[in-house]
Amino acid sequence: MTLDRNVKVLVVDDYKTMTRIIRNLLKQIDFHDADEAADGHEALAKLRSGNYGLVISDWNMQPMTGLDLLKEVRADARLKHLPFIMVTAESKTENVVAAKQAGVSNYIVKPFNAETLRDKIEKVMVHG
């Protein structure tokens, strides 16, 4: 199975610079259809009205964290199968466990490069 690079990606981060970095990394690995949301609430609204194939979300956001967003996505019948990659500066075991329990597809610890991003996306999109 090959990776569908035409999939629409939603990048969620309350830090504009990080959103831009992730979008640039996506471009480097040939994902050109990326949209962004500044927080979990905006992301949820976009996910419910749009047709996204992947979510890449920061963990630390206000007022809705990436973990809260993940739980909302997994609780929504239409969105629950959406591949969801969590991005965080923390590699604390309890965070990884909490994200796994909430149904995260994969996890990236900052800083990361295009290669790492591609590997993580391939794992969730091709291998499920």
Side-chain angles (χ1 to χ4, degrees):
M1 207 169 131
T2 56
L3 191 54
D4 178 8
R5 284 182 160 69
N6 297 315
V7 71
K8 192 169 181 185
V9 182
L10 184 62
V11 179
V12 190
D13 202 315
D14 55 0
Y15 186 48
K16 270 277 182 242
T17 304
M18 198 61 210
T19 310
R20 196 164 57 240
I21 289 168
I22 293 174
R23 289 183 73 154
N24 285 336
L25 291 174
L26 284 166
K27 276 195 190 103
Q28 285 174 38
I29 57 173
D30 290 326
F31 282 87
H32 296 285
D33 193 0
D35 192 6
E36 60 191 62
D39 63 58
H41 293 294
E42 185 188 343
L44 213 46
K46 285 190 170 194
L47 288 170
R48 287 182 171 146
S49 63
N51 187 19
Y52 296 90
L54 174 66
V55 180
I56 299 175
S57 174
D58 187 42
W59 181 296
N60 298 311
M61 297 184 293
Q62 295 296 333
M64 184 192 265
T65 66
L67 187 62
D68 292 335
L69 172 62
L70 172 61
K71 288 175 178 172
E72 289 284 334
V73 166
R74 290 297 177 243
D76 187 309
R78 274 186 40 244
L79 302 174
K80 68 179 180 202
H81 301 297
L82 202 57
F84 195 112
I85 296 176
M86 190 79 76
V87 177
T88 181
E90 315 265 333
S91 55
K92 288 193 296 219
T93 312
E94 60 265 32
N95 286 13
V96 178
V97 170
K100 284 222 181 309
Q101 285 172 340
V104 77
S105 308
N106 217 316
Y107 203 86
I108 301 181
V109 179
K110 294 179 207 169
F112 57 92
N113 58 20
E115 200 63 33
T116 304
L117 184 60
R118 185 177 59 227
D119 288 347
K120 298 285 184 174
I121 292 174
E122 278 178 4
K123 280 192 175 80
V124 303
M125 303 284 293
V126 179
H127 310 296

